[in-house]
Amino acid sequence: MATPSPEDPHANGPNGPKGRMEPTRPATLVIAALATTALAWIVISNFWNLLPTLPWLPPLTLIGLAIFEGIEAYSTRNRILRKEGAGPLHPLVIARYAVLGKASALVAALFGGIYVGMASWLLTQRGVLQKVSENLPQALLGVAASIVLIAAALWLERACRVPPSDRDKDLPRQGRKDGADRAPDDQIA
């Protein structure tokens, strides 16, 4: 196999292979949560009288997802490390779990921002409006459920990482100059 041309979209870039999934950055989650917090505050303060009572189902769904992802993170990590009693796991399933963890963390940050915006506005209106006490428990549970889901999603994403092999431990992480990252049949142009 020849070395890919510079125009090849699958060629390695300066920071590693293009199209490679990177771990979720905390800054991404914080920015998403802050943006939705501000948006939720604006919406709830302008349309409070038009909004129905907050339902219990979304926070409970977030908790259910967090439980599922926590169990899968524990199981996946044990299977990747080949612990006793843990069967093998197909690599595509691991990739899907990694994507699920990444997506769930972002969705939980968005929901968390919405619930933080609602809860903070409701706390400022406590004693002023009557229906605040009907909505505050759901908003606070939504904040807690979002935090738990973010933690479980990041744990699942981290559990999908494959530990380096003994061969990889002796090599630099990227930019190998000695050709150790090439297959034996690769040709250097």
Side-chain angles (χ1 to χ4, degrees), residues 4 7 20 23 63 68 103 111 139 142 144 154 161 167 173 188:
E7 294 84 27
R20 181 176 154 191
I63 291 170
F68 170 76
F111 269 95
L154 292 176
R161 293 182 185 173
R167 179 183 153 272
R173 189 158 166 82
I188 300 174

Side-chain angles (χ1 to χ4, degrees), residues 3 167-184 186-188:
T3 304
R167 179 183 153 272
D168 294 338
K169 289 181 183 177
D170 299 332
L171 300 173
R173 189 158 166 82
Q174 290 183 5
R176 299 179 185 130
K177 299 188 188 317
D178 61 353
D181 57 342
R182 297 186 179 275
D186 276 354
Q187 299 173 359
I188 300 174

Side-chain angles (χ1 to χ4, degrees), residues 44-164:
I44 196 169
S45 63
N46 288 321
F47 300 106
W48 168 251
N49 292 329
L50 302 175
L51 296 175
T53 302
L54 290 176
W56 286 99
L57 187 59
L60 295 176
T61 303
L62 294 176
I63 291 170
L65 283 170
I67 291 169
F68 170 76
E69 291 186 25
I71 290 169
E72 289 304 318
Y74 179 77
S75 172
T76 301
R77 193 72 196 147
N78 286 340
R79 289 174 173 210
I80 287 176
L81 295 176
R82 303 196 182 214
K83 296 215 174 166
E84 190 175 327
L89 194 58
H90 194 277
L92 191 55
V93 173
I94 296 170
R96 287 178 179 160
Y97 283 161
V99 171
L100 175 66
K102 193 169 183 71
S104 295
L106 182 59
V107 168
L110 294 172
F111 269 95
I114 291 170
Y115 281 119
V116 166
M118 288 183 172
S120 58
W121 188 84
L122 290 170
L123 286 171
T124 63
Q125 300 301 315
R126 219 169 159 186
V128 177
L129 299 172
Q130 288 181 329
K131 293 177 76 175
V132 168
S133 61
E134 295 174 18
N135 290 295
L136 191 57
Q138 295 93 313
L140 294 175
L141 181 63
V143 171
S146 298
I147 292 169
V148 171
L149 181 55
I150 288 172
L154 292 176
W155 184 28
L156 178 60
E157 184 181 340
R158 182 153 180 90
C160 292
R161 293 182 185 173
V162 178

